[in-house]
């Protein structure tokens, strides 16, 4: 897929594409994402990804999304005899990285910029 096809995808599709999905779909055209990094659709997709995942592309794309960790609950399903000193779980495994859907409408309430973008796109596609 070329970058223009990527940019023409519905925003609801873009939000569910992972770095691995886009890498596989774009193939040799992947480098074009860097050329269009200021495009609204590309920026939206980039900002939904974890920085560590974007780094695997080698394109020097930067997300506004924070890679945070979430402490593991005390009633963990991890075996009690585990001596692993790590007590945190990456947020991407503890919390879904996909936007929540309510009545068929994506919720982007955590980011005012995303809410504005969603509203503008909704107006454009009516």
């Amino acid at each position: 897929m070329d970058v223009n096809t990527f940019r023409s995808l519905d925003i609801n599709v873009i939000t569910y594409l992972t770095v691995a999905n886009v890498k596989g779909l774009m193939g040799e055209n992947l480098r074009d994402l860097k050329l269009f990094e200021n495009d609204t659709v590309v920026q939206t997709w980039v900002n939904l990804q974890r920085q560590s995942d974007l780094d695997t592309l080698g394109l020097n794309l930067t997300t506004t999304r924070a890679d945070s960790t979430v402490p593991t609950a005390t009633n963990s399903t991890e075996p009690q005899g585990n001596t692993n000193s790590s007590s945190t779980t990456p947020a991407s495994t503890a919390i879904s990285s996909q936007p929540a859907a309510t009545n068929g409408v994506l919720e982007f309430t955590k980011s005012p910029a995303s809410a504005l973008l969603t509203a503008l796109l909704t107006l454009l596609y009516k």
Side-chain angles (χ1 to χ4, degrees):
M1 162 174 33
D2 64 21
V3 72
N4 288 326
T5 302
F6 178 81
R7 292 171 52 221
S8 70
L9 293 174
D10 184 86
I11 195 69
N12 293 319
V13 173
I14 294 287
T15 59
Y16 287 100
L17 292 176
T18 66
V19 169
N21 295 146
V22 171
K23 187 175 184 178
L25 289 169
M26 294 194 69
E28 64 185 39
N29 297 317
L30 187 63
R31 288 175 275 135
D32 292 340
L33 283 177
K34 182 64 177 177
L35 295 173
F36 288 87
E37 70 181 322
N38 293 323
D39 178 80
T40 303
V41 173
V42 175
Q43 277 185 348
T44 299
W45 177 77
V46 166
N47 289 331
L48 290 169
Q49 308 309 310
R50 294 183 318 171
Q51 187 63 52
S52 57
D53 291 338
L54 288 171
D55 291 345
T56 66
L57 299 176
L59 299 176
N60 199 27
L61 295 171
T62 305
T63 185
T64 58
R65 178 180 168 184
D67 281 347
S68 60
T69 57
V70 177
T72 304
T74 55
N75 59 354
S76 172
T77 58
E78 193 172 293
Q80 294 299 318
N82 188 344
T83 58
N84 185 352
S85 62
S86 175
S87 64
T88 60
T89 302
S92 63
T93 59
I95 301 171
S96 171
S97 62
Q98 302 301 333
T102 304
N103 297 328
V105 178
L106 291 173
E107 292 181 355
F108 288 105
T109 56
K110 293 186 181 184
S111 169
S114 293
L116 176 61
L117 176 61
T118 301
L120 289 173
L121 289 171
T122 302
L123 289 173
L124 287 174
Y125 290 104
K126 282 190 175 189

